[in-house]
C-alpha cells in the first residue's frame, strides 16, 4: 500500500474516532441547562425595543412601550423623521431626502462627505433613469466632478455611473445594478445609519448580532458534542442531536 493511501486511511480513522468520541447531550439535559440560565425580562424587553427603534417601527415601538413599560433611549418622534428620509431615498426623491436630513441635523452631511457624494450620485442615477440626459450631464459636471477631482474613489464611482449614458438600453447593460431597487436601499440604509449615529444610537440593531453569535457558538460546539441544535432561527425549535 502506498504512503498516500496509508495517510488517507489514518486520517479517516482519526476522523471516525473524533466523531464517535463526541459527547452526546440529551434534550432533557440540554433543556435543563437552558432553564438554569436566568435572563431578566427587562433585558429582553430592551433588546426588542432596540430592534424596533433602530429599524424604524415607530408604531410598534410606541405600542411596545405602553405594554411593557420599556422606555426607548431616543425620542420616538425622531423615528418618523428618520423614516421619512429613508422612504424618500427608496422612492428616488433624493433631493427631498437631502433637505429632510439637513432639517434634522445639517452637520450629518457636512461631516460625512462620502454620504453626501453617494446621495448626489443617486440623484444622478435618478436623472438617468428618467431619461433626463442633458440635465444629468450638467449635474455630473457641476456637482460631482469637482468632488471626484478631490477623491479618487469618488471619481471612479462617478465614471462608472456616467457610463450608463453610453447604453441605449440601460436596463440590459453591464451596469444595470445601479438602476436596481437594491441601489436605492443601499443608500437609504447608509443615510439611516448616519442619522442614528448623529443621535448617539447604535446604527445596527443588537438582535441580528446576537443571532450571529448563536450560529458561531453552535458551530464551535459542533466539534465537541452532539446536542439539541437550533437550525431554524425563525422558530428557534430545538432539534434532537444526531450522532
Amino acid at each position: 500500500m502506498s504512503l498516500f493511501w496509508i495517510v488517507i486511511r489514518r486520517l479517516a480513522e482519526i476522523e471516525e474516532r473524533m466523531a464517535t468520541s463526541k459527547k452526546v447531550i440529551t434534550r432533557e439535559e440540554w433543556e435543563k441547562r437552558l432553564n438554569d440560565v436566568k435572563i431578566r425580562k427587562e433585558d429582553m424587553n430592551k433588546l426588542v425595543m432596540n430592534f424596533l427603534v433602530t429599524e424604524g417601527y415607530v408604531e410598534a415601538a410606541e405600542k411596545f412601550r405602553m405594554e411593557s413599560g420599556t422606555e426607548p433611549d431616543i425620542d420616538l418622534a425622531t423615528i418618523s423623521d428618520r423614516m421619512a428620509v429613508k422612504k424618500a431615498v427608496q422612492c428616488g426623491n433624493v433631493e427631498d431626502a437631502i433637505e429632510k436630513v439637513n432639517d434634522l441635523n445639517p452637520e450629518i452631511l457636512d461631516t460625512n462627505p462620502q454620504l453626501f457624494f453617494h446621495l448626489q450620485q443617486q440623484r444622478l442615477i435618478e436623472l438617468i433613469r428618467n431619461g433626463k440626459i442633458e440635465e444629468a450631464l450638467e449635474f455630473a459636471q457641476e456637482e460631482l466632478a469637482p468632488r471626484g477631482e478631490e477623491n479618487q474613489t469618488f471619481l471612479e464611482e462617478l465614471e462608472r455611473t456616467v457610463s450608463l449614458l453610453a447604453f441605449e438600453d440601460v436596463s440590459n447593460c453591464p451596469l444595470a445594478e445601479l438602476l436596481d431597487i437594491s441601489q436605492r436601499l443601499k443608500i437609504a440604509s447608509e443615510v439611516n445609519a448616519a442619522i442614528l449615529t448623529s443621535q448617539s444610537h447604535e446604527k445596527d440593531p443588537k438582535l441580528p448580532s446576537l443571532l450571529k453569535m448563536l450560529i458561531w457558538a453552535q458551530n464551535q460546539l459542533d466539534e465537541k458534542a452532539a446536542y439539541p441544535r437550533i437550525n431554524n432561527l425563525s422558530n428557534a425549535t430545538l432539534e434532537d442531536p444526531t450522532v
Side-chain angles (χ1 to χ4, degrees):
M1 183 179 293
S2 67
L3 179 60
F4 173 78
W5 287 110
I6 292 175
V7 172
I8 293 297
R9 181 176 176 181
R10 291 295 296 164
L11 288 174
E13 291 174 351
I14 293 173
E15 183 176 356
E16 182 179 358
R17 284 201 303 269
M18 289 179 65
T20 57
S21 63
K22 281 186 178 181
K23 180 178 181 180
V24 178
I25 305 175
T26 65
R27 175 185 288 270
E28 182 181 2
E29 181 183 358
W30 190 250
E31 289 181 344
K32 183 179 182 302
R33 294 189 181 190
L34 291 178
N35 290 331
D36 289 339
V37 179
K38 303 302 179 183
I39 301 176
R40 296 190 310 165
K41 186 176 181 180
E42 178 185 351
D43 293 331
M44 294 296 295
N45 287 342
K46 287 182 178 179
L47 186 63
V48 173
M49 181 61 80
N50 171 265
F51 179 82
L52 295 175
V53 167
T54 305
E55 292 299 306
Y57 299 110
V58 59
E59 293 183 4
E62 177 62 32
K63 186 175 182 180
F64 186 71
R65 182 187 68 80
M66 295 176 63
E67 292 180 351
S68 67
T70 305
E71 292 295 331
D73 53 4
I74 64 173
D75 185 355
L76 290 181
T78 63
I79 299 180
S80 298
D81 296 331
R82 174 162 51 88
M83 289 300 100
V85 175
K86 190 174 182 180
K87 183 178 180 180
V89 177
Q90 291 173 342
C91 293
N93 302 323
V94 184
E95 191 170 3
D96 181 45
I98 292 175
E99 291 180 2
K100 291 181 184 300
V101 172
N102 286 329
D103 288 340
L104 279 174
N105 185 351
E107 291 186 2
I108 294 176
L109 297 181
D110 290 342
T111 58
N112 196 332
Q114 177 173 288
L115 174 61
F116 184 63
F117 176 84
H118 285 162
L119 283 168
Q120 295 288 66
Q121 179 188 21
Q122 191 63 37
R123 283 184 65 184
L124 175 61
I125 291 173
E126 299 302 336
L127 290 172
I128 296 174
R129 185 199 306 276
N130 295 323
K132 300 179 179 180
I133 307 306
E134 292 185 6
E135 188 175 346
L137 287 171
E138 182 179 353
F139 181 76
Q141 183 176 359
E142 293 182 0
E143 300 294 336
L144 293 174
R147 298 182 182 276
E149 293 176 357
E150 301 172 357
N151 187 302
Q152 181 62 31
T153 301
F154 292 171
L155 180 61
E156 293 173 359
E157 292 189 43
L158 173 59
E159 291 175 345
R160 186 165 175 265
T161 305
V162 172
S163 296
L164 287 169
L165 297 172
F167 300 91
E168 293 185 6
D169 184 7
V170 292
S171 62
N172 292 318
C173 75
L175 300 171
E177 71 271 10
L178 290 175
L179 298 170
D180 191 80
I181 186 64
S182 61
Q183 172 67 17
R184 287 180 177 177
L185 296 178
K186 175 184 174 183
I187 303 303
S189 295
E190 188 176 351
V191 176
N192 186 58
I195 295 175
L196 284 168
T197 300
S198 73
Q199 296 171 341
S200 301
H201 192 280
E202 301 99 330
K203 62 181 181 180
D204 297 310
K206 296 177 180 178
L207 186 56
S209 298
L210 290 175
L211 293 177
K212 291 178 181 178
M213 290 177 62
L214 170 63
I215 294 172
W216 177 85
Q218 288 192 149
N219 290 337
Q220 297 298 309
L221 188 56
D222 285 341
E223 300 177 4
K224 302 178 180 179
Y227 60 97
R229 207 176 191 279
I230 297 177
N231 293 317
N232 189 337
L233 295 178
S234 63
N235 57 29
T237 301
L238 291 174
E239 299 185 9
D240 290 330
T242 56
V243 182

